[in-house]
């Protein structure tokens, strides 16, 4: 079965430091890949998505992610963290094989220190 | 503005009581979903609907029921059979088809008295 693994339930960075949130998926066929962000007591908001084409995807708020097929990874990065980036981040996959589910990772909570 | 609304923001349930969570969208999306969110567990799919008058069980449907009488509306009922209902409930919608970016509502937090 398809699965999504987010390494680290909590990540803490200093303001201005690099943000790196890791996501690996299990699939023999490249799926569609998403990153969503959730601020406290709110719904999820799409940050970026990969479908086909360029493997480096740029999203909102300065985030980007790179699809690496050989590593089955889709890590999320931002060069310089801002206090407003503190939130929970979810990696998600729609399997290429079809079905109607989007499979979400367990989430990574990002803390930003002043 | 197009979007998804959920009400109420907070809901309290008494023992043995059924409660209904509202979800409305004006995005003209065919598909709608209900997720349950518990700390450290990500999102788990309760029910989804691809079209009006049709819906399917997700991974954790026991103790829940839904209806889809209108394209815009997908209410979720948490029945007394759901023994651990305390959670954050999220409704989402998307177009049909393979590339289904989901758009989420603000959520309803259900608490048991």
């Amino acid at each position: 079965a398809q699965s999504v693994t987010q390494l680290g339930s909590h990540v803490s960075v200093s303001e201005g430091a690099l943000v790196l949130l890791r996501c690996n998926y299990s699939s023999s066929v490249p799926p569609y890949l998403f990153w969503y962000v959730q601020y406290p007591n709110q719904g999820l908001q799409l940050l970026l998505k990969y479908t086909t084409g360029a493997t480096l995807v740029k999203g909102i708020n300065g985030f980007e992610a790179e699809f690496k097929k050989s590593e089955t990874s889709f890590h999320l990065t931002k060069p310089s963290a801002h206090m407003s980036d503190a939130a929970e981040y979810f990696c998600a996959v729609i399997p290429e094989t079809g079905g109607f589910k989007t499979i979400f990772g367990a989430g990574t909570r990002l803390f930003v220190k002043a | 503005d197009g979007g998804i609304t959920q009400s109420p923001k907070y809901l309290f349930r008494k023992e043995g009581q059924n409660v209904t969570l509202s979800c409305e969208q004006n995005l003209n999306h065919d598909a709608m979903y209900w997720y349950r969110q518990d700390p450290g567990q990500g999102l788990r799919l309760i029910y989804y609907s691809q079209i009006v008058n049709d819906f399917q069980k997700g991974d954790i449907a026991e103790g829940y029921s839904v209806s889809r009488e209108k394209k815009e509306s997908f209410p979720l009922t948490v029945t007394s059979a759901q023994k651990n209902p305390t959670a954050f409930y999220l409704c989402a919608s998307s177009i049909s088809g393979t590339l289904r970016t989901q758009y989420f509502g603000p959520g309803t937090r259900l608490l048991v008295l």
Side-chain angles (χ1 to χ4, degrees):
Chain A
Q2 184 77 239
S3 66
V4 177
T5 302
Q6 292 185 238
L7 187 62
S9 59
H10 297 85
V11 170
S12 181
V13 300
S14 297
E15 193 172 21
L18 172 71
V19 176
L20 170 61
L21 304 182
R22 300 178 188 273
C23 174
N24 290 87
Y25 63 91
S26 65
S27 175
S28 59
V29 178
Y32 298 123
L33 298 155
F34 303 80
W35 275 100
Y36 289 87
V37 61
Q38 184 181 34
Y39 298 100
N41 294 311
Q42 294 185 27
L44 277 67
Q45 176 184 355
L46 180 69
L47 266 181
L48 49 82
K49 63 185 177 186
Y50 169 79
T51 55
T52 58
T55 57
L56 183 63
V57 181
K58 294 187 184 299
I60 62 172
N61 301 337
F63 284 92
E64 61 184 35
E66 186 171 11
F67 168 59
K68 292 187 176 180
K69 181 179 176 181
S70 61
E71 299 177 8
T72 60
S73 69
F74 191 56
H75 302 332
L76 181 70
T77 61
K78 181 174 181 178
S80 177
H82 191 272
M83 296 296 287
S84 61
D85 295 326
E88 188 150 23
Y89 293 80
F90 292 92
C91 182
V93 166
I94 295 177
E96 180 69 21
T97 50
F100 213 78
K101 290 184 182 179
T102 297
I103 300 167
F104 288 86
T108 297
R109 184 166 294 279
L110 177 66
F111 296 92
V112 182
K113 300 175 289 186
Chain B
D1 283 340
I4 301 179
T5 58
Q6 291 185 241
S7 62
K9 189 174 178 65
Y10 295 95
L11 185 58
F12 298 90
R13 193 190 91 164
K14 295 180 181 178
E15 195 77 31
Q17 186 182 39
N18 292 353
V19 293
T20 297
L21 286 61
S22 170
C23 177
E24 304 276 334
Q25 55 99 359
N26 61 3
L27 299 168
N28 200 32
H29 286 164
D30 286 314
M32 296 187 75
Y33 315 77
W34 274 106
Y35 292 93
R36 171 177 170 144
Q37 186 177 22
D38 297 280
Q41 295 194 44
L43 277 67
R44 292 184 290 169
L45 183 64
I46 304 173
Y47 269 98
Y48 63 96
S49 168
Q50 300 180 55
I51 198 167
V52 174
N53 293 323
D54 186 52
F55 49 82
Q56 284 79 40
K57 292 181 179 180
D59 300 317
I60 57 164
E62 185 174 350
Y64 300 96
S65 66
V66 293
S67 63
R68 187 84 187 278
E69 297 176 1
K70 298 187 299 181
K71 186 175 184 177
E72 302 79 20
S73 179
F74 192 41
L76 173 74
T77 296
V78 183
T79 74
S80 57
Q82 173 51 244
K83 297 307 180 187
N84 183 24
T86 298
F88 192 51
Y89 291 86
L90 288 163
C91 179
S93 71
S94 76
I95 60 170
S96 290
T98 306
L99 183 50
R100 302 180 293 276
T101 300
Q102 297 197 11
Y103 295 83
F104 286 82
T108 292
R109 188 166 298 280
L110 178 60
L111 300 165
V112 177
L113 293 177

